[in-house]
Amino acid sequence: MSSIYHGQLTVSIFGQSHAPAIGVTVDGIPAGETVDLEELQAFLARRAPGTGAWSTTRKEGDKPEVLSGLVQGKTCGAPLAAVIRNTNTRSGDYENLKDIPRPGHADYTAQVKYGGFQDVAGGGHFSGRLTAPLCIAGGICKQLLARRGIFVGAHIAAIAGIPDATFDPVGLEQSALQAPGEKIFPVIDDEAGERMQAAIAEAKAQLDSVGGVIECAVVGLPAGLGDPMLDGMENRIARLTFAIPAVKGVEFGAGFAVANLRGSQNNDPFYMDGDRVRTRTNHSGGILGGITNGMPLVFRAAVKPTPSIGQVQDSVSLSRKENTKLEIKGRHDPCIVPRAVPCVEAAAAIAVYDALLEQEKRREQP
């Protein structure tokens, strides 16, 4: 099914934007692992709505309610199930969307696929609201990775074409990796962040929106995680990252820029650092042949501008089969990027922890 990730972990996301609750089940976490719910709540707060001028005014506490899988703060071997109650919905803002689909949204494609039975309120199951349960699963995986010396972090790489500084792809340390996530507006360069926020405010005043890019990295990874071809680390991470509805592109390492390089420029030279093999550059993003090489794993996700904007847009009436105009109501982010940063971290953490469990299982086999 489309809302289930299956590997060593099985992660199933359920709910709709304006349903009584949204939630996730995570099966496959070994028994005896500690889950810090306060730390998880702090992670979810980074994604929660209503946190800044760049965010929707919809207020949700996003407090996870664990239904099963934990006993006295430790995993017990049963599937871990958690829900978040939806408490601040205005479904009436979406009543006309079965007939007049919003440009840039899944309203039209959902109408075609589900024949009008889909939930349109708040975008239903297509809503970015469903990234909250993704962050429950990913936030737990981040904790379990950190206890193994593996850390995941991300920052806003650009908004509206305004760039932030970049992570050091070769010598990235845990402190530099996690520093942006400790800020309300998660950037490396605060001056660049101020210019980004000004661009968001300008777009909002014009009843418009802006998109951007998120850079994510994982440090402390051993070499050897992942598989060639269809189960490479790029495949796993991209699959989960594309579960974030606004993501339209993912690139690893130097990404599309490698198309303009020669082999002598793109290749990462190996050298010995004590008894460890390292590379002097990291155009590969820490992955060769789908398998981690021990360098920082670095990738970027392109996030589209919020499609729900206040300007009058061209659309169609599906019932009347004619062109019409649409003025969208509701509460929407003028820029999704800041709140999507922890979502990208969550996607990476699930993929990496799943690959780590797979490697551990292989080593246990005779």
Side-chain angles (χ1 to χ4, degrees):
M1 296 295 290
S2 63
S3 301
I4 299 175
Y5 172 87
H6 184 68
Q8 298 303 308
L9 294 176
T10 299
V11 179
S12 178
I13 294 173
F14 59 89
Q16 300 106 253
S17 178
H18 288 197
I22 52 178
V24 65
T25 60
V26 185
D27 196 2
I29 300 176
E33 294 281 5
T34 300
V35 175
D36 186 330
L37 294 179
E38 290 187 5
E39 183 179 340
L40 179 61
Q41 181 67 71
F43 180 66
L44 290 170
R46 293 172 53 199
R47 193 223 68 93
T51 55
W54 53 86
S55 173
T56 172
T57 57
R58 177 178 176 177
K59 297 285 188 179
E60 294 283 2
D62 280 3
K63 183 175 178 60
E65 179 183 337
V66 177
L67 305 179
S68 67
L70 286 183
V71 176
Q72 297 180 342
K74 292 186 180 293
T75 56
C76 64
L80 192 154
V83 297
I84 292 174
R85 307 288 177 180
N86 289 324
T87 60
N88 187 0
T89 60
R90 293 198 326 216
S91 299
D93 291 338
Y94 302 87
E95 289 178 354
N96 65 332
L97 298 184
K98 283 187 180 180
D99 185 49
I100 305 176
R102 294 169 293 178
H105 273 281
D107 301 332
Y108 170 66
T109 51
Q111 175 76 13
V112 172
K113 187 170 183 67
Y114 299 116
F117 293 102
Q118 74 278 5
D119 182 3
V120 298
H125 192 63
F126 296 90
S127 171
R129 182 93 183 107
L130 274 296
T131 58
L134 177 72
C135 283
I136 293 177
I140 292 171
C141 289
K142 278 192 66 174
Q143 292 185 27
L144 303 183
L145 287 171
R147 294 192 193 110
R148 291 163 171 79
I150 299 170
F151 301 93
V152 182
H155 71 105
I156 300 169
I159 283 178
I162 301 166
D164 188 19
T166 61
F167 284 144
D168 179 349
V170 175
L172 183 60
E173 299 288 344
Q174 175 194 345
S175 57
L177 174 71
Q178 296 183 312
E182 296 171 358
K183 303 177 183 179
I184 295 176
F185 197 80
V187 291
I188 298 171
D189 181 349
D190 292 333
E191 190 276 331
E194 290 174 2
R195 290 190 286 123
M196 293 177 194
Q197 292 177 63
I200 296 171
E202 181 181 0
K204 182 178 180 180
Q206 297 170 354
L207 303 181
D208 214 336
S209 63
V210 291
V213 179
I214 295 167
E215 182 178 50
C216 183
V218 187
V219 299
L221 278 173
L225 291 186
D227 293 280
M229 300 291 287
L230 300 180
D231 274 336
M233 286 308 304
E234 297 104 328
N235 309 57
R236 300 173 191 230
I237 290 172
R239 179 184 175 190
L240 282 153
T241 303
F242 278 119
I244 303 165
V247 169
K248 297 300 289 183
V250 177
E251 65 174 9
F252 291 82
F256 276 84
V258 302
N260 299 319
L261 301 177
R262 291 190 173 190
S264 57
Q265 298 170 309
N266 181 62
N267 292 345
D268 299 315
F270 290 110
Y271 73 100
M272 294 304 303
D273 182 10
D275 60 354
R276 181 184 173 192
V277 175
R278 291 178 55 84
T279 60
R280 298 196 183 278
T281 55
N282 192 14
H283 298 121
S284 70
I287 304 170
L288 292 168
I291 300 168
T292 59
N293 65 4
M295 296 296 290
L297 191 162
V298 183
F299 72 98
R300 285 167 296 281
V303 180
K304 70 181 182 180
T306 314
S308 288
I309 58 176
Q311 296 181 14
V312 176
Q313 300 179 78
D314 291 329
S315 188
V316 296
S317 168
L318 298 176
S319 63
R320 300 191 304 272
K321 299 188 184 304
E322 64 183 28
N323 297 329
T324 189
K325 299 289 185 180
L326 175 65
E327 185 174 359
I328 297 172
K329 300 178 182 179
R331 300 162 291 177
H332 308 282
D333 300 67
C335 182
I336 301 167
V337 179
R339 293 176 57 210
V341 170
C343 304
V344 173
E345 292 179 17
I350 294 169
V352 170
Y353 182 62
D354 186 62
L356 195 67
L357 288 177
E358 183 179 275
Q359 185 187 67
E360 291 173 353
K361 181 178 180 180
R362 285 175 178 171
R363 287 176 175 173
E364 291 172 358
Q365 294 174 347

